[in-house]
Amino acid sequence: MKRSGGSFDPDGLKRRLDEIEKQISAPGAWDEPEKLTPALKEKSRLESELERNSALSGAKDNAEEWLMLAEEGENEADRHEAMHSLEEAIGQLGELLEQMEMEMLLGADGDSEDALLEIHPGAGGTEAQDWAEMLLRMYMRWADSHGFKTEYLDYLGGDEAGLKSVTIRVSGPNAHGLLKVEKGIHRLIRISPFDTSGRRHTSFASVDVMPDVGENVKIEVNESDLRIDVFRASGAGGQHVNKTNSAVRITHIPSGIVVQCQNEKSQHHNRDAAMSILKARLYALELKKREALRQADYNDKDAIGFGSQIRTYTMQPYRLVKDHRTNSECTDVDAVLDGKLDTLIRDNLIYEHSTKN
């Protein structure tokens, strides 16, 4: 959804906030609280933006005051202390400006929504499945560092290690806008811990990211267009196993989209979660048509293999993470795999913004 106002339009933000306050305070507004979820999410975002605007203005004033004291201090000690405080104030101002820059880069449809993130290993058995689980850990740690909430919607463990597929919901401000640049093929080069000969292996995994539009956007889905199958949940080592047919798989016949959820014990809850994923996929397809982007959906992507990767994580013979879209590089592979993705995400958002303008 497009946003009202903007980071440099505090009056517009306040007007929109007043409108939402009236909406949620209207008689009967809380009779169906689930319908207020989009408004409450927007209210929280607007309040955060206004708070950031206020902090930016305060940081600017603070820096200007310390600059004046550094120039007009009565003695060398006072000027030295003022210079030290000025450096701290400039650092704080710089951080706030970076946050404001990110807000400017996140104005596309769906950017403010929560994200649905899927990971699938490529060919290669245990090696690729272990890489898929490493990526899951990376995104979970990134989300945790931002205070985002994560929730498993579907998880299928690997035969020996790793995972065969996983879908999680990442909830937080601009979760989809930030994670959307992670969509694509990720390649790992390392000495395999599963190879007794100690040989170097190359593994691939695919990451798909969609906005979790929830009730914010009405997506009409005809029941006659759906094929719904139920089955027993399963997982490696007995995890997520259920003795009843609680897992749900939904096929959207017109588009060929297939989604499933088996992480809840209740078939009803699994069906709701699967429908949420289906609507997100249909919405993502609609966004692609609207923006005239001729990209195929997940099932029509390039093969998960050589030549199609967006990023390579090399652990041997040298250590380097390289993003092939922006040519950004980072030698601290461990930090990236521990979830320190902000620089790579920011570079890609700037790259996307520049290519569209």
Side-chain angles (χ1 to χ4, degrees), residues 283-337:
Y283 179 66
L285 284 176
E286 183 60 31
L287 284 183
K288 291 173 186 178
K289 294 176 184 177
R290 193 182 309 169
E291 297 173 5
L293 296 176
R294 299 185 178 276
Q295 298 178 354
D297 189 50
Y298 177 80
N299 292 328
D300 298 324
K301 285 180 183 176
D302 292 337
I304 306 178
F306 287 101
S308 58
Q309 64 273 2
I310 62 166
R311 190 179 298 150
T312 297
Y313 308 71
T314 304
M315 303 183 75
Q316 279 92 16
Y318 53 87
R319 301 182 69 79
L320 183 71
V321 176
K322 181 179 177 65
D323 194 290
H324 302 290
R325 298 160 296 180
T326 63
N327 289 322
S328 299
E329 296 182 349
C330 176
T331 57
D332 195 346
V333 182
D334 291 334
V336 172
L337 292 175

Side-chain angles (χ1 to χ4, degrees), residues 46-310:
L46 292 171
E47 289 172 340
S48 295
E49 288 192 23
L50 284 168
E51 184 178 342
R52 188 159 43 248
N53 270 296
S54 178
L56 182 64
S57 178
K60 173 180 172 292
D61 293 342
N62 190 37
E64 289 177 343
E65 289 177 7
W66 284 116
L67 176 61
M68 183 177 66
L69 290 172
E71 293 175 340
E72 301 176 1
E74 294 182 0
N75 54 59
E76 186 64 28
D78 288 347
R79 288 193 294 272
H80 179 76
E81 181 181 351
M83 282 298 297
H84 177 71
S85 297
L86 175 61
E87 290 175 0
E88 292 182 347
I90 290 174
Q92 181 187 14
L93 183 60
E95 291 178 3
L96 290 168
L97 285 171
E98 283 190 7
Q99 293 177 17
M100 194 71 74
E101 178 187 43
M102 292 295 286
E103 286 290 331
M104 295 176 66
L105 295 171
L106 295 173
D109 286 341
D111 278 359
S112 63
E113 307 295 345
D114 295 338
L116 296 176
L117 185 145
E118 296 181 357
I119 303 174
H120 295 265
T126 301
E127 182 69 32
Q129 291 169 17
D130 185 59
W131 171 224
E133 189 164 57
M134 290 170 64
L135 285 173
L136 172 63
R137 174 181 176 273
M138 180 179 77
Y139 292 121
M140 295 290 275
R141 292 204 167 193
W142 175 85
D144 184 64
S145 71
H146 286 264
F148 289 177
K149 178 184 176 183
T150 55
E151 175 188 2
Y152 283 92
L153 298 179
D154 188 49
Y155 182 97
L156 182 59
D159 296 324
E160 298 178 27
L163 60 88
K164 291 182 178 179
S165 68
V166 64
T167 303
I168 62 172
R169 176 185 286 116
V170 182
S171 303
N174 299 315
H176 175 256
L178 294 167
L179 284 171
K180 66 182 180 182
V181 299
E182 295 299 298
K183 182 175 182 176
I185 310 303
H186 296 245
R187 177 172 69 166
L188 172 69
I189 302 173
R190 65 170 175 174
I191 301 296
S192 172
F194 306 102
D195 188 335
T196 56
S197 301
R199 292 173 295 184
R200 194 171 66 199
H201 284 244
T202 298
S203 305
F204 298 89
S206 176
V207 175
D208 201 10
V209 183
M210 302 159 287
D212 183 14
V213 294
E215 298 298 323
N216 292 3
V217 177
K218 295 298 181 183
I219 301 293
E220 296 296 333
V221 179
N222 295 323
E223 289 288 332
S224 60
D225 290 337
L226 303 179
R227 184 174 71 246
I228 302 176
D229 302 304
V230 296
F231 57 98
R232 290 188 180 182
S234 61
Q239 294 178 346
H240 312 289
V241 174
N242 201 325
K243 295 182 179 179
T244 61
N245 291 333
S246 61
V248 176
R249 180 185 298 111
I250 299 178
T251 303
H252 185 250
I253 298 171
S255 66
I257 293 173
V258 180
V259 298
Q260 71 177 38
C261 184
Q262 59 177 322
N263 232 56
E264 299 290 339
K265 292 182 180 179
S266 162
Q267 184 183 123
H268 176 73
H269 290 160
N270 281 327
R271 188 184 190 282
D272 288 345
M275 282 299 296
S276 178
I277 298 171
L278 174 61
K279 288 182 178 181
R281 282 190 169 279
L282 292 172
Y283 179 66
L285 284 176
E286 183 60 31
L287 284 183
K288 291 173 186 178
K289 294 176 184 177
R290 193 182 309 169
E291 297 173 5
L293 296 176
R294 299 185 178 276
Q295 298 178 354
D297 189 50
Y298 177 80
N299 292 328
D300 298 324
K301 285 180 183 176
D302 292 337
I304 306 178
F306 287 101
S308 58
Q309 64 273 2
I310 62 166

